[in-house]
Amino acid sequence: MNNNKQWIPYPLILKGETVTLIPLEQEHLEELYSASADKELWKLVPSDCSERAIFFSNYSYALEARVNGTQYPFVILDNRTNKIIGSTRFFEIYQADKKLEIGWTWITQEYWGTTVNLECKLLLMSYCFEVLKTNRVQLKTKDTNIRSRKAIEKIGGVFEGILRKDKIQQDGTTRNAAYYSILNTEWEDAKQKIELLIEEKKELK
């Protein structure tokens, strides 16, 4: 029996100021695929989900994984338009150890540099630490993805090390992964950092 199934309730909806995270459903797949068709979104990740077969394989698997409690995928909705603008998920879910990972996060290019990604992280991590009472939230990225690594560090992610040859990529090559985490004892500081970054972006509008 996998106790993870009951840890994160279904349907879980996380509503923020500019975006709402709702559970991925089968009926979202075509619209989400249309949003994912930009190859720029997948340059630094192992699988190119701009390719239809790869996208549907990955996201159909995510739906199955939610059933067995190992993943919990969301679509990101723009509150103004109610359109799907990306996706994110919980995975590597271990209720017994009160830990999980946040990842598979992407948004369409028109929202790059906005508050959207920060707001998603705030919604997800607030839920993890304040509702689930997790001890640890993990984040990782390709070791050479300096932009992503700096973004994780800005929100309070603590660098833990590089796992070499952590993933086999679509082209058969391997990638190293830079691992980060935020602990429950670090959450209040991290939360303040995220909220400050959101306010700074608002002021730049």
Side-chain angles (χ1 to χ4, degrees), residues 11-23 74-83 88 90 116 118-127 131 198:
L12 173 63
I13 297 172
L14 302 174
K15 187 172 179 63
E17 184 179 338
T18 61
V19 295
T20 299
L21 307 182
I22 65 171
F74 297 90
V75 292
I76 304 167
L77 296 182
D78 182 332
N79 288 343
R80 293 171 304 149
T81 64
N82 213 38
K83 288 184 178 178
T88 189
F90 295 135
V116 167
L118 289 167
E119 190 170 330
C120 288
K121 293 296 188 293
L122 183 62
L123 290 169
L124 293 167
M125 288 198 278
S126 293
Y127 183 79
V131 179
I198 289 173

Side-chain angles (χ1 to χ4, degrees), residues 174-185:
T174 57
R175 80 161 198 182
N176 302 330
Y179 276 72
Y180 291 82
S181 69
I182 297 173
L183 305 182
N184 54 344
T185 52

Side-chain angles (χ1 to χ4, degrees), residues 123-172:
L123 290 169
L124 293 167
M125 288 198 278
S126 293
Y127 183 79
C128 288
F129 290 115
E130 297 168 16
V131 179
L132 295 181
K133 304 298 183 184
T134 53
N135 288 330
R136 166 190 173 86
V137 170
Q138 179 173 288
L139 306 106
K140 69 173 179 282
T141 189
K142 191 173 184 178
D143 64 334
T144 55
N145 189 344
I146 304 304
R147 178 181 172 182
S148 180
R149 291 182 63 175
K150 286 182 176 178
I152 293 170
E153 288 164 5
K154 275 187 176 181
I155 65 171
V158 176
F159 176 61
E160 295 183 323
I162 305 289
L163 264 65
R164 299 176 298 164
K165 294 192 175 182
D166 185 54
K167 191 85 173 174
I168 297 176
Q169 302 183 112
Q170 187 177 324
D171 63 2

